[in-house]
Amino acid sequence: MSQGVRERRHGACEGASVRPGYDIAPWQLRWTGLAVDQLHRTESTFALANGHLGMRGSLDEGEPVGLPGTYLNGFYEEHALPYAEAGYGYPEAGQTVVNVTDGKVIRLLVEDEPLDMRYGQAHAHQRTLDFRSGLLTRETDWESPTGRRVRVRTRRLVSFTQRAVAAIRYEVEPVDGTVQLVVQSDLLANEPIESSTRDPRVAAALKSPLVGEFHSAEDHRAVLVHRTRESGLRMAAAMDHEIEVGDGLRTEIRAEADLARLTAAVDVAAGQTLVVTKFLGYGWSAQRSAPALRAQVEAALAGARQTSWAGLLAEQRAFLDDFWDVADVEIDGDDALQQAVRLALFHILQAGARGESRAIPGKGLTGPGYDGHAFWDTETFVLPVLTYTVPDAARDALGWRHSTLPKACERARVLGKRGAAFPWRSINGAECSAYWPAGTAAFHVSADIADATARYFAATGDAEFDRTQGTELLVETARLWASLGHHDPHDGFRIDGVTGPDEYTAVVDNNVYTNLMAQKNLTEAAAACERNPEVARRLAVTDEETASWLTAARETHVPYDDMLRVHPQSEGFTQHEEWDFANTPAEHYPLLLNYPYFDLYRKQVVKQADLVLALHLRGDAFTFADKVRDFAYYEARTVRDSSLSAATQAVIAAECGHLDLAYDYLVEAAMTDLHDLHDNVRNGLHMASLAGAWQAVVAGFGGMRDHGGELTFAPRLPPALHRVAFRMCFRGSRLQVVIEPGQATYRLVSGDPRTVSHHGEPLVIGPDAPVTRPVPPAPEHPTPTPPPGRAPRRHAKPV
Amino acid sequence: MSQGVRERRHGACEGASVRPGYDIAPWQLRWTGLAVDQLHRTESTFALANGHLGMRGSLDEGEPVGLPGTYLNGFYEEHALPYAEAGYGYPEAGQTVVNVTDGKVIRLLVEDEPLDMRYGQAHAHQRTLDFRSGLLTRETDWESPTGRRVRVRTRRLVSFTQRAVAAIRYEVEPVDGTVQLVVQSDLLANEPIESSTRDPRVAAALKSPLVGEFHSAEDHRAVLVHRTRESGLRMAAAMDHEIEVGDGLRTEIRAEADLARLTAAVDVAAGQTLVVTKFLGYGWSAQRSAPALRAQVEAALAGARQTSWAGLLAEQRAFLDDFWDVADVEIDGDDALQQAVRLALFHILQAGARGESRAIPGKGLTGPGYDGHAFWDTETFVLPVLTYTVPDAARDALGWRHSTLPKACERARVLGKRGAAFPWRSINGAECSAYWPAGTAAFHVSADIADATARYFAATGDAEFDRTQGTELLVETARLWASLGHHDPHDGFRIDGVTGPDEYTAVVDNNVYTNLMAQKNLTEAAAACERNPEVARRLAVTDEETASWLTAARETHVPYDDMLRVHPQSEGFTQHEEWDFANTPAEHYPLLLNYPYFDLYRKQVVKQADLVLALHLRGDAFTFADKVRDFAYYEARTVRDSSLSAATQAVIAAECGHLDLAYDYLVEAAMTDLHDLHDNVRNGLHMASLAGAWQAVVAGFGGMRDHGGELTFAPRLPPALHRVAFRMCFRGSRLQVVIEPGQATYRLVSGDPRTVSHHGEPLVIGPDAPVTRPVPPAPEHPTPTPPPGRAPRRHAKPV
C-alpha cells in the first residue's frame, strides 16, 4: 500500500499533519485520516458521476456517513408547494431529487467484528480521487476491537464510457494470520436520510420515496425495481459480482423489496487477498415497464462484465486522457490552486459528460442541494467550459433545454407572454420556484440559454444543431423579449419589472444585464433565421417579426448615471441608499439570512456580479473606461454571498488590470468547495463556482472573449504565478495558450489552423510552430476595494 | 304583523316583486321573502354588532344558513404560516378570527315539526334592520308540513350601551287553534362551518377551535367557558331567559362542553303569544381564569336583566338618536342611495362604537373575511368618519394602535429600522401577512396611522390623548421614516423600495402617496413634540432629531414626469407599458386572479386609488391643475379591483368638477355590499367601502378637507340629486351642511361657533342663524374615462 509523497496540506494549519485534511497534489485529491465530522464534505468532493449516474463519496461500509446519496439525473419526486398566500401562476408542484437505491454498500466482518472506522484502531486511512484514472481509491489499515488487523483497498468508478455502469473493486488482505472474512454487498433502497428541509411535506415525500415493484436474486446477481409515489417515475438497480479468493468460499444471495444482499464468507490467510468486484447497473424511465427496466439494467451489467474491471479502467483512462488533452489547465506557482483547478475541471466533466437528454443540476450529481434543480448557472458558467472542452456535452445540455421548450412556451403563455420562459429552477423543465420574484420575473434565464446556444454554435459551427434545435431556442427566447419589452416615448425599448442575476435586487426596470443579453438574443435570433430560412418558416417567423427584433435591439435602453458616470445595475440603482457596511457584523453574512428582502432590494448592496457579469458577457457594449469605472463602483458594493460571483469578478478585474485582485478571486472560486467557504458543501459541490475557476483562468488571465463568435485573447500573468497554460477547442481545433512573464505563446495541439487575436492583434495559430507575442503592460489604476470584511478568501473562516 | 309599505326594490329587475330582495326605505333595510341561496349575503348586511361583540344575521333556528358567525373582537386562533421558500422576517404565525359560541340559536317545534323555512309553507317572511332602533326584526307566517300555522316575530339586538350583552325577543302566536310549542334555546360551541381556506392548516385550526373548560346550567341560565388550542385565549358565553306565556309551561335546562340548552314546552291557544326573552353575555380574556370569566358574563347578564328588554330597547334608541343627530346624511333624489348611505353609517357605528381597546377589522364583526384582520383601511377610510361623528370611537381605535406600539417597534427592529412599523394585517398587533411585499414593505400603514392621529387631535383638541398616546404614535412613526428614507445627491430625501396603497404595484421607489404622507408624519411629529416637550423628553427626542425630521420633510422627493406633465404614482411609473385593456376580457377581473404579479406590477394598471388618494389626503401638496391632469391620467388606468377605490375617485372627481362621475362613484361605493359587487359579501361587509360612501358625500360633494387641522368646505351638488345634507362634529360642536342647487347652508346644531371656509371664503357658523352662501359653478373639463368595461357600477353583473 503506497502512501505516496506527502505534500503540503490544504487548510489554515499547514504542517499540522496530525489534523486530517486534503493533501496537495497536482493530479489527485487525497484525504488522509478519517475525521468523521468532515465526512459530509468529503462525500461531496469525492463524489463520482458521469452526468447520468452519481454517487457521493461515502465509505463502502455505509457508516459512519455524512449524507448518503446516489442520484440518477432527472429522477425526482414531486410534492405540493405550500403557500400561506397563493398567487396566480405560482407553481403548485415542487420536484426534489431522490436518493435512489444505494449500490455502493459493501460491508466487511472480520471474525464477526464489523469494519467500522469509529471502532477498533485505524493504523492508516486515506481516500484518493485521481483525475487521470477517474478512480476513487480508499486504503485502510484497520485493527478490530478484538485485535485482528486487515488491509482494505477499494477502488470505485462511475464509468464515463458506459453511462449506466459503476464498478467497485474491493480487496481485503489479512495482516496477521488467517481470519474469517464475511463480505455483504447490498442494493439498498429507501436508506434513512436526515432531511435538512423545514417543510414537512417535502420531508414526508423524501422519507421513503421508493415503492418496491420487483426484486430478484440469483447466483451473484440481483435486481431491484422501484417507482416513486407521486412523480410516477420508475428505476432499476442491479448488481453482479466476481469474487477472487482461495478455497472455501460460501456465498448466499437474497432479495426483498428494499434490499438485495450478496453474502460471501471465507477464511483468508495472511498474505492472501479476497477480491470482490462489484458491477452496478442503473436505469430509470417515466414510461418503460418494470420488466423492461429490469432488462435494461441487466443488459448494462452484462456489458460491464464483458468489458471487465480492467477494461472499464482502461476505457476510463482513455476517456480522461482525451479530456485532459483538450482541457488541461496548468498553474505554476501555486500548487494548491493547480490541484483545485484540475479538481474543478474533473467535476465539471463528471457533471456534464453523459447527461445527454437531461439537465446539468446546480450541484451536478454530488448532493441533494438546491433539491437537485438546474438553474441558469449551467448555461452561463458551466456550458462555456464544456463548449470549449467537451462541446458534445454542451450540445446535449442545450438539447435538454430544447426538449423542454413546450413547457417553457406554456409557462410564457401562463405569464401572458409569447415565446419561451425557461424556469428559474427545475428538474423536468417545469418551474419549481415558489418565490415569484425569481420564479416568474428572472427572465434573463431565457437570454442566458440563448447566449449559450449562440456560443455553442459559434464555437463548433454545428449546423445540424443550429437547424434542429438552436434556431428554435433563439427564436422562442427572442419572442419572449419582444413581448416583455415595450417601446416608450421617454427612452426607447424598455424591459421593466424583471429580476436580474443579483439576488439582492428583484423586479426592477431595465436591468442592464438583462437588457443587453436580450439585445443579443434578439440579434442572434434574427441571424439564425437568416441562416435557416426553412426553420424560420416552420416557426412562422415573418420578415416583420425579425425586423421588429432588430428594431428592439437597436433601441434597447441602457440606463446611465451622468452624475456618477457609471451604469446603474438597473434603473435608479445608484440613487438608492448605500448599505451600512460599517455596522454589518461578520456573522450577519450571508445578508439574506439576517435582513429582509425589502431592505436588501432597496439598497446599493449586490449579492453577486450582475452589472459586472454584463461587463463580461456583453463586454462589446462597454468602453474600457466604462468597465474600469463600473467595476470599481460595483466592487465596493458586492458582498459575494453567492458562489456565482468571484469568478466573474476575477475576469473583469483581470481585464481592468487589477491582476492581484483577479488572482485572489480566482483562488476563492477554485477553493469554494475545497474549503467549504459557503458552509454548505455537505449538500453538494457548486458547479458554477468550479466552472468559474476555469473562467477566471481562461477568460480572466487568458482574456478569452467570444463576442460575435470571434475568438480573442488578451493574456496577462498575475504576479503571484510563474506560468499559466490552458487548452481549449474551437471549431474542432485544439489550441493551447501559455502565459508567461511578458509574453504569451499560442500552439495548435491538433486540427486546422485558427485565426484568433492577441490583445487586438490578429494572429493565426497553425501547425508549424507556436506563436509567441509580447504582452503589453497592464493598465494602471487604483485597485478597487471590496466592502469591509468581504475581501476574497482562500480559506473558510478560522475554526 | 305589519308588512310596511312596499317601496321600490333594489336590484336589476325592478318591479319583479316575486323575486326576493331588499326593499328601499329611508331608515330600514328589509328583505322580503326567503331566498336560501342569498342567505350568506343577508347574514352580512343584517349583522348586528357593537364593536366588541358581533353576530351575523342568521335565522334564529340556525338552519338554513349561509355562514354562521358570532365574533368577539380580538378573539382569534393562531396557526403556522407555511412557506415553500421562507425568508428572513417572514411571520411564522397567522391569526384567524374564530366563530365563538353561538347564542343566537332558538329553535321552535310546532307539534313536533321543527320550524324550517325549507319545509312547509311560508305565507310571509321578512327581515328588517332598523337604523334608528338598532333592531333586527324577523317576521314569519309559517304553515308546517302537517298544516299547523304560526306567526313568529323575533327581535334581536346587540347592545351599544352594554357592550357584553345581546338580547333576543322571540314571540310565537298560533294562528289556527291551540298547538303545542317547544322552544329550544342554545349556546352552541364549535358549530360546523364550511371553511373557504385552501390551506389545510388553517382549516384544521378552525375546524373545532374551542376547547371546553367549564359548563353549568341552572334554572333558565347556563354558562359555557372555552379556550382556544393555540392562541391560549379564553372566552365565556352565558344565557338567561324570561318566558311569558299562559299556564302549563315546562322547562328543562342542561349543559355539556359544547352545548347548553333551555327547552320550554307549552300548549298555546290561538291569539295567545309565547314570548321568550333571551339575554346573552359574552366575554374573553388572554389572562383571566375560567371562574373569573364566568363571573364576568354572569354579571353582564344580571345587568341586562336588571335593565330589562324594554330598557335595552330604550337605551339602544337613545344611543342611536344621538348618533343620527351628529352623523345623519340626507340624500334627496335617490332613495336607494339614501338607504345605502344610512346603512353604511349604521354599520360603521356597529364596527367601531365599543371596540375600545381593540382593532376595527376590515370586515368589522360581520364575517370571517380577511381572517378578521385589521388593515390600514381603518385609519384611512373608517376613522375619518368616526373622527367627525363618534370621536371617542376614533380615539379608542387609535388607542389600540398605541397599545400595540411595542410590537410595531419590535417589528421595525426586525426589519432593521427605527421607530414603529405597524402591520399590514393583524388581530393582535403582530404582522400576519405571509406576502412580504405587503407584510414588510407597505410602510405607508404607519403614516396612515399618524395621519389619523393628527386628524383626531385636530378635530377634537383632545390634549389628554395627545399627551398620553398621540405624540408617541407620531414620534415612533416619524422615526420609521427617518430611518427608511435617505438623502441622495441626485434628488433629495428618497423613500425607496416600499409598497404604496395600489396593490398592482409593489416595492417601488418614491411612491408619491407614501412620500407625501411620510412628509406630513414628520412635520406632525415635530409639532407634537413642540406641544408636549415632556413627552418628547421621555421618548428621548432631541432637537437634532426633530430638526432632521423637518429637513427630511422639506427635501422629500416627489417625482414628476415633465414630458407627460403628471405625477408618476412612483418612480418610473409613467414609463411603464400600458395595460392592454382592449384584450382583457371582462371575466379576467379581478386581474390578480388572472395575471401574474410581475406583469401587473410592471405595467400602468392600478388596482385602487394611490396617487389619487394622495390628491385627497395631501391635496395641499398639489395645484388644482395638477389634480385635474393627474386624476384624468389615473382614471384611465384604475380598474377598481379593490373596494378601497371608488370613494376616493368620487372625492377627487367632485373636486375636479366631474360631478356626474363623482355621483356614480359614490353610488358604487355605497352599493358595494348591498349589491355584492365584489362577489364576496358572504365573508362580511367592506367597512372601508361603507365608510367611503360617507367620504364621497362629505369630502366629495361637501368638499370637506382638514389640511393643517383647518376645516374647509367646497360643496357642490351633483345634477342627479336635489339636495344633500350632512352632519358632523368638530371640536365638540355639531354642524350641518346642506347643499342645494346653487347654494350651501351651514348650521350649528349644537356647541360653540366654529370658523370654517366655503370655497376659500372664511365663515363663522354660529348659533344665530344658518349661513347660506352661493356655490360657484364647477370648473369645466372633459370628463375622464375609466378603462373599458370599468365604469362605475350600481349593480352586480347581470345574472
Side-chain angles (χ1 to χ4, degrees):
Chain A
M1 184 185 294
S2 154
Q3 277 284 127
V5 181
R6 169 70 60 91
E7 288 112 317
R8 281 187 296 127
R9 182 72 62 82
H10 278 269
C13 306
E14 297 195 355
S17 63
V18 291
R19 187 157 156 243
Y22 296 114
D23 300 325
I24 293 170
W27 286 101
Q28 292 185 331
L29 185 71
R30 188 187 310 129
W31 182 281
T32 302
L34 183 66
V36 170
D37 63 340
Q38 300 297 312
L39 278 176
H40 56 272
R41 285 175 54 194
T42 53
E43 285 163 2
S44 294
T45 51
F46 286 148
L48 294 180
N50 61 16
H52 174 66
L53 166 66
M55 295 179 167
R56 285 172 59 81
S58 320
L59 297 177
D60 308 272
E61 56 272 24
E63 291 187 18
V65 69
L67 183 70
T70 303
Y71 310 108
L72 289 171
N73 195 351
F75 190 82
Y76 65 91
E77 181 55 317
E78 207 168 86
H79 55 87
L81 289 172
Y83 301 100
E85 294 193 24
Y88 173 87
Y90 285 19
E92 295 184 0
Q95 300 166 6
T96 306
V97 65
V98 167
N99 177 26
V100 299
T101 307
D102 188 352
K104 301 184 301 293
V105 181
I106 301 180
R107 287 194 201 80
L108 175 70
L109 284 89
V110 180
E111 303 266 335
D112 248 25
E113 194 73 50
L115 172 70
D116 185 322
M117 302 306 297
R118 294 168 294 194
Y119 301 98
Q121 190 185 349
H123 296 284
H125 187 260
Q126 69 175 26
R127 284 170 297 154
T128 308
L129 177 65
D130 188 281
F131 313 144
R132 284 184 292 203
S133 68
L135 288 176
L136 176 65
T137 302
R138 175 256 188 108
E139 290 164 303
T140 298
D141 183 342
W142 184 71
E143 187 177 329
S144 76
T146 55
R148 304 313 306 264
R149 189 163 169 183
V150 291
R151 289 204 189 99
V152 176
R153 181 167 80 135
T154 74
R155 284 171 288 168
R156 185 189 293 171
L157 68 81
V158 172
S159 175
F160 285 115
T161 52
Q162 303 189 25
R163 67 195 281 254
V165 168
I168 299 165
R169 181 84 150 190
Y170 194 91
E171 302 172 356
V172 193
E173 179 192 350
V175 174
D176 53 3
T178 301
V179 291
Q180 188 201 47
L181 299 177
V182 178
V183 171
Q184 294 176 313
S185 172
D186 288 1
L187 291 177
L188 174 61
N190 291 318
E191 265 173 321
I193 54 170
E194 248 181 74
S195 168
S196 58
T197 179
R198 287 176 51 197
D199 183 340
R201 304 187 213 197
V202 178
L206 294 181
K207 188 165 181 177
S208 201
L210 301 173
V211 180
E213 288 201 322
F214 173 82
H215 58 270
S216 78
E218 187 192 2
D219 195 9
H220 290 175
R221 198 166 67 211
V223 182
L224 301 183
V225 183
H226 287 83
R227 64 169 171 78
T228 55
R229 288 175 206 281
E230 300 300 327
S231 59
L233 305 182
R234 182 172 280 127
M235 66 145 300
M239 63 178 177
D240 202 350
H241 301 82
E242 290 172 1
I243 304 176
E244 300 162 43
V245 71
D247 293 342
L249 174 70
R250 284 177 54 97
T251 67
E252 177 191 281
I253 195 157
R254 60 195 182 81
E256 56 198 54
D258 284 356
L259 176 68
R261 174 170 294 164
L262 172 79
T263 304
V266 64
D267 291 331
V268 181
Q272 282 197 313
T273 307
L274 166 65
V275 181
V276 178
T277 307
K278 180 178 191 175
F279 298 94
L280 291 161
Y282 280 93
W284 76 267
S285 171
Q287 314 231 357
R288 306 189 71 195
S289 68
L293 266 183
R294 177 196 178 184
Q296 178 178 323
V297 296
E298 288 185 337
L301 274 189
R305 287 203 58 182
Q306 197 265 334
T307 306
S308 83
W309 171 255
L312 287 173
L313 248 58
E315 286 181 4
Q316 194 85 337
R317 176 77 195 209
F319 186 95
L320 282 163
D321 283 348
D322 186 58
F323 174 67
W324 293 115
D325 182 65
V326 70
D328 191 29
V329 169
E330 297 163 72
I331 308 269
D332 292 355
D334 186 335
D335 294 345
L337 182 62
Q338 170 69 79
Q339 177 190 46
V341 170
R342 287 211 178 103
L343 175 74
L345 279 164
F346 182 76
H347 273 297
I348 293 297
L349 180 71
Q350 290 206 124
R354 302 300 305 275
E356 298 174 16
S357 64
R358 299 291 158 189
I360 299 178
K363 300 285 191 184
L365 298 173
T366 65
Y370 304 141
D371 287 334
H373 293 170
F375 297 78
W376 66 285
D377 322 4
T378 299
E379 278 75 13
T380 301
F381 294 94
V382 176
L383 291 202
V385 184
L386 294 175
T387 295
Y388 293 116
T389 56
V390 195
D392 287 359
R395 180 200 61 212
D396 289 350
L398 291 168
W400 175 69
R401 291 292 194 184
H402 183 264
S403 75
T404 67
L405 258 174
K407 288 194 177 80
C409 290
E410 169 61 16
R411 180 70 179 158
R413 199 197 55 73
V414 167
L415 298 179
K417 300 292 157 249
R418 296 186 63 224
F422 283 97
W424 174 250
R425 56 189 306 166
S426 185
I427 294 179
N428 81 354
E431 181 61 73
C432 290
S433 170
Y435 185 62
W436 76 258
T440 64
F443 290 103
H444 70 85
V445 177
S446 291
D448 301 331
I449 291 167
D451 182 47
T453 300
R455 173 177 298 109
Y456 169 78
F457 174 70
T460 61
D462 184 344
E464 164 79 6
F465 167 83
D466 192 39
R467 196 172 60 248
T468 57
Q469 304 189 326
T471 299
E472 191 171 0
L473 281 168
L474 292 168
V475 163
E476 296 299 352
T477 47
R479 284 175 164 163
L480 178 73
W481 298 114
S483 75
L484 260 176
H486 75 286
H487 292 271
D488 187 82
H490 294 84
D491 44 20
F493 187 74
R494 296 170 56 95
I495 303 174
D496 292 340
V498 303
T499 298
D502 171 30
E503 293 174 24
Y504 286 169
T505 49
V507 196
V508 293
D509 295 343
N510 296 310
N511 172 256
V512 169
Y513 174 85
T514 303
N515 284 19
L516 289 175
M517 295 299 282
Q519 182 184 54
K520 182 177 177 196
N521 194 160
L522 291 161
T523 55
E524 291 283 1
C529 288
E530 198 162 327
R531 284 195 304 272
N532 299 284
E534 74 297 343
V535 179
R537 265 195 304 281
R538 179 169 62 77
L539 300 173
V541 180
T542 61
D543 290 348
E544 292 68 40
E545 187 171 17
T546 50
S548 75
W549 296 342
L550 294 173
T551 304
R554 199 170 46 244
E555 296 182 5
T556 295
H557 176 54
V558 177
Y560 188 76
D561 185 328
D562 291 317
M563 182 191 286
L564 300 179
R565 298 178 68 214
V566 295
H567 288 86
Q569 180 174 295
S570 53
E571 204 81 68
F573 183 85
T574 51
Q575 286 150 280
H576 288 171
E577 191 172 352
E578 299 284 357
W579 189 262
D580 184 3
F581 289 111
N583 288 305
T584 305
E587 64 272 20
H588 278 195
Y589 293 91
L591 299 177
L592 86 166
L593 297 184
N594 296 285
Y595 299 92
Y597 283 128
F598 96 90
D599 214 24
L600 294 168
Y601 289 178
R602 67 200 286 276
K603 289 188 174 165
Q604 293 196 52
V605 59
V606 178
K607 186 181 182 194
Q608 64 221 106
D610 183 308
L611 193 283
V612 172
L613 186 58
L615 298 181
H616 177 197
L617 298 181
R618 286 304 316 278
D620 54 331
F622 297 86
T623 67
F624 182 72
D626 277 342
K627 289 178 185 173
V628 171
R629 279 195 307 270
D630 284 351
F631 178 74
Y633 190 85
Y634 288 95
E635 189 63 7
R637 289 156 180 87
T638 302
V639 297
R640 294 190 330 290
D641 281 347
S642 161
S643 61
L644 300 188
S645 198
T648 302
Q649 289 174 264
V651 169
I652 302 303
E655 180 171 356
C656 293
H658 313 301
L659 297 175
D660 287 326
L661 186 61
Y663 170 72
D664 290 344
Y665 279 128
L666 158 60
V667 169
E668 178 176 299
M671 297 301 172
T672 292
D673 286 327
L674 272 178
H675 291 167
D676 201 4
L677 299 186
H678 291 272
D679 194 26
N680 57 7
V681 85
R682 67 174 273 117
N683 292 321
L685 304 181
H686 297 80
M687 288 303 141
S689 186
L690 295 168
W694 181 91
Q695 301 249 25
V697 171
V698 174
F701 296 125
M704 190 273 277
R705 296 290 184 279
D706 51 12
H707 302 309
E710 302 296 309
L711 196 60
T712 64
F713 297 92
R716 278 205 179 93
L717 193 68
L721 299 179
H722 314 140
R723 175 179 172 275
V724 169
F726 61 88
R727 291 157 177 250
M728 60 187 290
C729 63
F730 187 74
R731 296 192 163 244
S733 301
R734 294 184 171 188
L735 317 174
Q736 187 192 38
V737 180
V738 180
I739 319 170
E740 289 162 307
Q743 66 175 44
T745 302
Y746 299 84
R747 191 166 75 83
L748 185 67
V749 177
S750 65
D752 294 334
R754 290 292 158 207
T755 303
V756 301
S757 95
H758 167 85
H759 285 286
E761 169 208 353
L763 73 85
V764 177
I765 311 180
D768 304 333
V771 185
T772 298
R773 287 285 180 278
V775 166
E780 292 197 9
H781 330 274
T783 301
T785 322
R790 307 306 292 169
R793 291 188 296 159
R794 189 179 188 107
H795 302 295
K797 288 168 203 161
V799 281
Chain B
M1 184 184 294
S2 155
Q3 277 283 126
V5 181
R6 169 71 59 91
E7 289 113 316
R8 280 188 297 129
R9 184 71 62 82
H10 278 269
C13 306
E14 297 196 354
S17 65
V18 292
R19 188 158 156 242
Y22 297 113
D23 301 325
I24 293 171
W27 286 101
Q28 291 185 331
L29 185 71
R30 188 185 312 127
W31 183 281
T32 302
L34 184 66
V36 170
D37 63 339
Q38 300 296 312
L39 279 175
H40 56 271
R41 285 174 55 195
T42 52
E43 285 162 4
S44 295
T45 51
F46 286 148
L48 294 180
N50 61 14
H52 174 65
L53 166 64
M55 293 180 168
R56 284 171 62 79
S58 320
L59 296 176
D60 307 273
E61 55 272 23
E63 290 186 18
V65 69
L67 183 70
T70 303
Y71 309 107
L72 289 170
N73 195 349
F75 191 81
Y76 65 91
E77 179 55 316
E78 206 169 87
H79 55 85
L81 289 172
Y83 301 101
E85 293 193 25
Y88 173 88
Y90 285 19
E92 295 184 359
Q95 300 165 8
T96 306
V97 64
V98 167
N99 176 27
V100 300
T101 306
D102 188 352
K104 299 184 301 293
V105 182
I106 301 182
R107 287 193 201 81
L108 175 69
L109 284 89
V110 180
E111 304 268 332
D112 247 26
E113 195 74 48
L115 172 71
D116 186 320
M117 303 306 296
R118 293 167 296 193
Y119 302 97
Q121 190 186 350
H123 296 284
H125 188 261
Q126 70 176 25
R127 285 171 294 155
T128 307
L129 177 65
D130 188 282
F131 312 145
R132 284 185 292 203
S133 68
L135 288 177
L136 177 65
T137 302
R138 175 254 188 111
E139 290 164 301
T140 298
D141 182 343
W142 184 72
E143 186 175 330
S144 76
T146 55
R148 305 312 307 265
R149 189 161 168 184
V150 291
R151 288 206 190 99
V152 177
R153 179 167 79 137
T154 73
R155 284 170 288 167
R156 186 190 291 171
L157 69 79
V158 172
S159 175
F160 284 116
T161 51
Q162 303 190 25
R163 67 196 282 255
V165 167
I168 299 167
R169 181 84 150 190
Y170 193 91
E171 301 172 358
V172 193
E173 177 192 350
V175 174
D176 51 3
T178 301
V179 290
Q180 188 201 48
L181 299 176
V182 178
V183 170
Q184 294 175 313
S185 171
D186 288 1
L187 290 178
L188 175 60
N190 291 318
E191 265 172 319
I193 53 170
E194 247 180 74
S195 167
S196 58
T197 178
R198 288 176 50 197
D199 185 341
R201 303 187 214 197
V202 178
L206 294 181
K207 189 165 180 181
S208 201
L210 300 173
V211 180
E213 287 201 323
F214 173 81
H215 57 271
S216 78
E218 188 191 3
D219 196 7
H220 290 176
R221 198 166 66 212
V223 182
L224 300 182
V225 183
H226 287 83
R227 64 170 170 77
T228 55
R229 289 174 205 283
E230 299 300 326
S231 60
L233 306 182
R234 181 173 280 127
M235 66 145 301
M239 62 178 179
D240 201 349
H241 301 80
E242 290 171 2
I243 304 177
E244 300 161 44
V245 72
D247 293 342
L249 174 70
R250 283 178 54 96
T251 66
E252 177 190 283
I253 194 156
R254 59 194 181 80
E256 55 198 56
D258 284 356
L259 176 68
R261 173 170 295 165
L262 173 79
T263 305
V266 65
D267 291 330
V268 181
Q272 283 198 312
T273 306
L274 166 66
V275 180
V276 178
T277 307
K278 180 177 189 176
F279 298 93
L280 291 161
Y282 279 92
W284 76 266
S285 170
Q287 312 230 357
R288 306 187 72 196
S289 67
L293 265 184
R294 177 196 177 182
Q296 180 178 323
V297 295
E298 287 184 337
L301 273 190
R305 286 203 57 181
Q306 198 266 333
T307 305
S308 82
W309 170 253
L312 288 173
L313 247 58
E315 286 181 3
Q316 194 85 337
R317 177 76 194 211
F319 186 95
L320 283 162
D321 283 348
D322 186 59
F323 174 67
W324 294 115
D325 182 65
V326 69
D328 190 30
V329 170
E330 295 162 73
I331 308 269
D332 292 355
D334 186 333
D335 294 344
L337 181 62
Q338 169 71 77
Q339 178 189 47
V341 170
R342 287 213 178 101
L343 176 74
L345 279 163
F346 182 76
H347 273 297
I348 294 298
L349 180 71
Q350 289 206 124
R354 303 300 304 275
E356 297 174 15
S357 62
R358 299 291 158 190
I360 299 178
K363 302 284 191 185
L365 298 174
T366 65
Y370 305 141
D371 288 334
H373 292 170
F375 298 77
W376 65 285
D377 323 3
T378 299
E379 278 74 14
T380 300
F381 295 93
V382 177
L383 290 202
V385 185
L386 293 176
T387 295
Y388 293 114
T389 55
V390 194
D392 287 359
R395 179 200 61 212
D396 289 350
L398 291 168
W400 174 69
R401 290 294 194 183
H402 183 264
S403 75
T404 67
L405 259 175
K407 288 196 178 78
C409 290
E410 169 61 15
R411 181 69 180 159
R413 199 196 56 71
V414 166
L415 298 179
K417 301 291 157 252
R418 296 186 63 223
F422 283 98
W424 174 250
R425 58 190 303 166
S426 184
I427 294 178
N428 80 354
E431 180 61 74
C432 289
S433 170
Y435 185 62
W436 76 257
T440 64
F443 290 104
H444 70 85
V445 177
S446 292
D448 301 330
I449 291 166
D451 183 47
T453 301
R455 173 176 298 108
Y456 169 78
F457 175 70
T460 61
D462 183 346
E464 163 79 6
F465 168 83
D466 193 38
R467 196 172 59 249
T468 56
Q469 304 188 328
T471 299
E472 191 171 1
L473 281 168
L474 292 169
V475 163
E476 296 300 351
T477 47
R479 282 174 165 164
L480 177 73
W481 298 114
S483 76
L484 260 176
H486 76 284
H487 291 271
D488 187 82
H490 294 83
D491 44 20
F493 187 73
R494 296 170 57 95
I495 304 175
D496 292 339
V498 303
T499 298
D502 170 30
E503 291 174 26
Y504 287 170
T505 49
V507 194
V508 293
D509 295 343
N510 296 309
N511 172 256
V512 168
Y513 174 85
T514 303
N515 283 20
L516 289 175
M517 294 300 281
Q519 182 184 53
K520 181 178 179 197
N521 195 160
L522 291 161
T523 55
E524 291 283 0
C529 288
E530 199 162 325
R531 285 196 304 272
N532 299 285
E534 75 297 344
V535 180
R537 264 195 305 281
R538 180 168 61 77
L539 300 173
V541 180
T542 61
D543 290 348
E544 292 69 38
E545 189 171 18
T546 50
S548 76
W549 294 344
L550 295 173
T551 304
R554 198 168 49 243
E555 297 182 4
T556 295
H557 176 54
V558 178
Y560 189 75
D561 185 328
D562 290 317
M563 181 191 287
L564 302 180
R565 298 179 65 215
V566 295
H567 288 86
Q569 179 174 297
S570 53
E571 204 81 69
F573 183 85
T574 50
Q575 286 150 279
H576 289 170
E577 191 172 352
E578 299 285 357
W579 189 262
D580 184 3
F581 289 110
N583 288 305
T584 304
E587 64 272 19
H588 278 196
Y589 294 89
L591 299 177
L592 86 166
L593 298 184
N594 295 284
Y595 299 91
Y597 283 128
F598 96 90
D599 214 25
L600 293 168
Y601 290 177
R602 67 200 286 276
K603 288 187 175 164
Q604 294 196 50
V605 60
V606 177
K607 187 181 182 194
Q608 65 222 104
D610 183 308
L611 193 282
V612 173
L613 186 58
L615 298 181
H616 177 197
L617 299 181
R618 286 304 317 279
D620 54 332
F622 298 86
T623 66
F624 182 72
D626 277 343
K627 288 178 186 173
V628 171
R629 279 194 308 270
D630 284 351
F631 178 73
Y633 191 85
Y634 288 95
E635 189 63 6
R637 289 158 180 85
T638 302
V639 297
R640 294 190 331 289
D641 280 347
S642 161
S643 61
L644 300 189
S645 198
T648 303
Q649 289 172 264
V651 169
I652 301 303
E655 179 170 359
C656 292
H658 312 302
L659 296 175
D660 288 325
L661 186 61
Y663 171 71
D664 291 344
Y665 279 129
L666 158 59
V667 170
E668 177 175 302
M671 298 300 172
T672 293
D673 286 327
L674 272 178
H675 291 166
D676 202 3
L677 299 187
H678 291 271
D679 194 26
N680 57 8
V681 86
R682 68 173 275 118
N683 293 320
L685 304 180
H686 298 80
M687 289 303 141
S689 185
L690 295 168
W694 180 91
Q695 301 250 24
V697 171
V698 175
F701 296 125
M704 190 273 278
R705 296 290 185 279
D706 52 11
H707 302 308
E710 301 297 310
L711 195 61
T712 63
F713 296 93
R716 276 206 180 94
L717 192 69
L721 299 178
H722 313 139
R723 174 178 172 275
V724 169
F726 61 88
R727 292 158 176 248
M728 59 186 292
C729 63
F730 187 73
R731 296 192 165 245
S733 302
R734 293 184 171 188
L735 317 175
Q736 186 192 37
V737 180
V738 180
I739 320 172
E740 289 162 305
Q743 65 176 42
T745 303
Y746 299 83
R747 189 167 76 84
L748 185 66
V749 177
S750 64
D752 296 334
R754 291 293 157 206
T755 302
V756 302
S757 96
H758 168 85
H759 284 286
E761 170 208 352
L763 72 87
V764 177
I765 310 180
D768 304 333
V771 185
T772 298
R773 287 285 180 278
V775 167
E780 292 196 11
H781 331 273
T783 302
T785 322
R790 306 307 291 170
R793 290 189 296 158
R794 187 180 189 105
H795 302 294
K797 289 168 203 160
V799 282

